[in-house]
Amino acid sequence: MDRLEAAKVFVTIVERGSMVSAANALDMSRSMVTRYLSEMEEWSGARLLHRSTRSLSLTPAGEQVLDYCHRLLELANEVPAVSHAAVAIPRGLLRISCSQFLAHQILAPVVRQYLASYPQASVNIHVSSQTVDLVAERIDLAIRITNELDPNLIARRLGECESVVCAAPSYLAARAPVLHPEDLTQHNCLTYSYFGDVMWRFYQTDLAARQALVQHSDPKLNQGKAFNVPVNGNFSANDSMVVLNATLAGEGIAMQPLWAAKPYLDSGQLVPLLTEFKPQSLGVYGVYQSRKHMQPALRVMMDMLVAYFASLK
């Protein structure tokens, strides 16, 4: 835990009189402010605030800790400033959390370039498909692929993840062709999920596709807009690389990140399906603790990721 930041959060809560006001003043999410306060109480070994739905006041221990925090922040402000140029150079450890797929396919080449450019910097990658607690795990940057990002999080959009529906030739050889998205309901679909059925969203891409669908029985497919198709199958996983390997083995049809599937599409190990339709793409976000006093290492890394994702288009 960054104890200096925790001290700053605690002082701001007291000065502003509420957790919400402190979160707004610090440009943090409320959950992050709560986490810092909890860590401060754990660090001091005492409850620091009396909290109710309408008021907030210091405990005796809180009054003592507040005095220490003021002194700590004053000392921090007295540290001589180094030159702006030196501060702007990334240095020190940057801890990044991401999925296995992102670590292998996206982050690895960017990190190599980053370390080569900034020899005083280092990187630790925390590979996980689970949502991590940035404060508890001491994570500087969490990279997430989603269209349902929590609005309370501090995040920067890094890029876009295009999708492709595909299957191995061995799976398709003995089964009915997939001509329309609704045909997926008759196939074994491998999903990135913990359990249960999921919806795959599609968009019609051109006039020829819309004309081809006019004669189709499902009125949803004739609207020329986005539509959802419920899919299910006998296998799901919370890691896209596991789903990709099952797809390559001929176990079923999957909606995969285009980055991951492209080498296998180019080699013929996978076949793209429903090319007249555009599967839903997902946003790629960098989630971090606060916009204020962003360390150069974090800012530079996110800039490099934005440039890298733009180069993939």
Side-chain angles (χ1 to χ4, degrees):
M1 182 187 74
D2 185 340
R3 291 184 172 180
L4 187 61
E5 186 70 13
K8 180 180 175 182
V9 170
F10 177 56
V11 169
T12 306
I13 292 171
V14 176
E15 291 178 345
R16 297 283 176 162
S18 74
M19 310 280 279
V20 174
S21 295
N24 292 335
L26 295 169
D27 200 13
M28 284 185 180
S29 65
R30 185 176 178 182
S31 61
M32 192 65 67
V33 168
T34 302
R35 182 59 176 163
Y36 271 120
L37 176 60
S38 176
E39 293 290 346
M40 178 61 79
E41 290 182 327
E42 183 175 342
W43 178 28
S44 63
R47 185 175 182 82
L48 303 180
L49 296 171
H50 295 300
R51 283 166 276 180
S52 68
T53 56
R54 294 188 177 182
S55 64
L56 178 152
S57 61
L58 287 165
T59 64
E63 293 178 355
Q64 290 184 320
V65 171
L66 180 64
D67 181 55
Y68 289 135
C69 288
H70 278 303
R71 289 157 56 187
L72 179 62
L73 295 174
E74 288 172 2
L75 287 172
N77 290 331
E78 292 174 3
V79 175
V82 295
S83 69
H84 177 75
V87 171
I89 299 174
R91 64 186 70 228
L93 178 64
L94 185 69
R95 289 176 55 84
I96 305 174
S97 174
C98 65
S99 67
Q100 182 182 12
F101 157 68
L102 281 171
H104 283 276
Q105 300 291 329
I106 302 298
L107 199 55
V110 177
V111 167
R112 285 195 295 269
Q113 179 186 352
Y114 172 82
L115 294 177
S117 300
Y118 304 104
Q120 297 183 54
S122 59
V123 173
N124 177 271
I125 299 177
H126 178 272
V127 178
S128 175
S129 297
Q130 309 298 321
T131 300
V132 297
D133 184 319
L134 300 183
V135 175
E137 299 292 338
R138 296 182 295 112
I139 298 297
D140 299 300
L141 175 64
I143 305 175
R144 297 177 186 170
I145 300 180
T146 181
N147 281 344
E148 299 180 356
L149 193 69
D150 186 339
N152 293 316
L153 294 175
I154 307 298
R156 176 181 176 184
R157 188 179 179 92
L158 303 176
E160 188 171 358
C161 179
E162 298 288 343
S163 302
V164 61
V165 176
C166 54
S170 59
Y171 174 86
L172 298 171
R175 292 168 177 83
V178 182
L179 303 177
H180 304 287
E182 70 170 10
D183 294 336
L184 293 169
T185 61
Q186 306 303 314
H187 283 266
N188 192 46
C189 293
L190 314 177
T191 57
Y192 177 80
S193 176
Y194 290 102
F195 53 85
D197 298 345
V198 297
M199 291 283 185
W200 286 357
R201 171 163 286 200
F202 293 88
Y203 300 86
Q204 295 179 4
T205 58
D206 54 34
L207 180 61
R210 290 194 290 273
Q211 290 175 340
L213 290 172
V214 168
Q215 299 177 352
H216 205 268
S217 61
D218 190 343
K220 292 183 298 182
L221 301 182
N222 297 327
Q223 295 174 2
K225 299 180 180 179
F227 55 91
N228 296 324
V229 176
V231 299
N232 61 80
N234 62 6
F235 181 80
S236 64
N238 69 339
D239 186 278
S240 61
M241 292 188 71
V242 175
V243 176
L244 176 60
N245 288 332
T247 311
L248 288 166
E251 299 297 327
I253 297 173
M255 182 182 288
Q256 279 286 311
L258 183 57
W259 308 320
K262 190 176 187 307
Y264 305 103
L265 295 170
D266 292 343
S267 68
Q269 292 174 268
L270 291 177
V271 177
L273 304 174
L274 302 170
T275 55
E276 294 179 328
F277 300 86
K278 177 179 172 60
Q280 182 181 30
S281 60
L282 299 173
V284 185
Y285 295 90
V287 179
Y288 50 104
Q289 296 184 32
S290 173
R291 293 189 182 95
K292 290 189 176 182
H293 309 299
M294 183 185 296
Q295 59 175 304
L298 175 58
R299 174 180 51 77
V300 170
M301 176 58 72
M302 287 200 291
D303 288 346
M304 292 179 68
L305 285 168
V306 169
Y308 185 81
F309 283 117
S311 72
L312 297 177
K313 293 182 180 179

